[in-house]
Amino acid sequence: MNLKENEEVKKVAFFLKEIGIDIIEKELGETFLPGLDLGPDCIYVDYNKLLYPGDILHEAGHLAVTVPAERKLVSTTEISKDWPTQGDEIAAILWSYAALHHLQLSPAFVFHPHGYKGNSEWFISNFTSGNYMGLPLLEWMGLSLGKEKAEKKQKMPFPAMQKWIRD
């Protein structure tokens, strides 16, 4: 089956379009993640080379946690050389977990055994047990709330998101 027709991929693509991240089908050469590359406000996908469709959500997380001015510069020579930062990486990982939860997909869809430097099970174990390392970053970015802040504001706590894209 062509991955583009995969039900999980369709669900992800619909969600990303809905929140303002475009997926653009494009033939890609060699990239850091096979079949994926980032562009200004978009993700380029080569379905013939894509190995792990969950990586689309992780890459979307990088765009989502980046401020709009920088998001428009992704993959250009004008983007900061240290983008994404370690903090951005942590926030993107946690954002992708929230997206999985929202889409009702298995954590293994993003946190597959061939990614995350062999720590996929560790991320799954921590996140599914409610240990959300990096949550203060998502709070600071205005994207989500921890339990205490959510209770005070009468909102849903993480993994629910207050908004999906950083202002």
Side-chain angles (χ1 to χ4, degrees):
M1 172 194 274
N2 179 346
L3 280 177
K4 186 177 179 180
E5 300 305 317
N6 174 291
E7 287 305 313
E8 293 166 323
V9 172
K10 287 171 148 179
K11 196 179 219 185
V12 166
F14 181 81
F15 166 69
L16 294 179
K17 185 167 185 65
E18 195 173 60
I19 66 168
I21 297 175
D22 290 326
I23 293 179
I24 298 172
E25 198 170 341
K26 179 179 178 181
E27 190 174 321
L28 298 171
E30 190 173 323
T31 54
F32 179 72
L33 293 173
L36 287 175
D37 204 4
L38 291 175
D41 289 315
C42 71
I43 301 171
Y44 299 117
V45 180
D46 184 338
Y47 289 102
N48 294 319
K49 293 182 180 171
L50 182 64
L51 296 180
Y52 307 105
D55 289 345
I56 297 170
L57 268 183
H58 176 77
E59 293 305 294
H62 281 294
L63 293 174
V65 302
T66 300
V67 293
E70 287 186 355
R71 210 168 32 242
K72 291 178 182 348
L73 302 176
V74 170
S75 291
T76 71
T77 56
E78 293 150 38
I79 189 82
S80 171
K81 291 188 185 341
D82 67 346
W83 184 90
T85 66
Q86 289 290 354
D88 294 336
E89 184 65 37
I90 292 166
I93 289 170
L94 199 53
W95 183 97
S96 63
Y97 179 76
L100 286 169
H101 188 265
H102 175 76
L103 295 170
Q104 300 178 337
L105 296 171
S106 163
F109 180 70
V110 168
F111 302 103
H112 54 81
H114 302 285
Y116 303 91
K117 300 178 183 174
N119 292 311
S120 298
E121 285 299 321
W122 182 81
F123 281 113
I124 292 171
S125 173
N126 275 279
F127 293 159
T128 57
S129 66
N131 183 19
Y132 305 126
M133 62 293 238
L135 184 53
L137 281 171
L138 290 184
E139 286 182 313
W140 176 76
M141 292 173 178
L143 299 176
S144 192
L145 298 169
K147 281 184 182 178
E148 293 170 13
K149 288 182 182 179
E151 283 177 16
K152 286 179 185 174
K153 294 184 176 199
Q154 297 182 339
K155 304 271 185 178
M156 293 294 296
F158 187 85
M161 298 291 279
Q162 302 306 303
K163 59 184 173 183
W164 287 103
I165 303 282
R166 191 172 173 189
D167 295 328

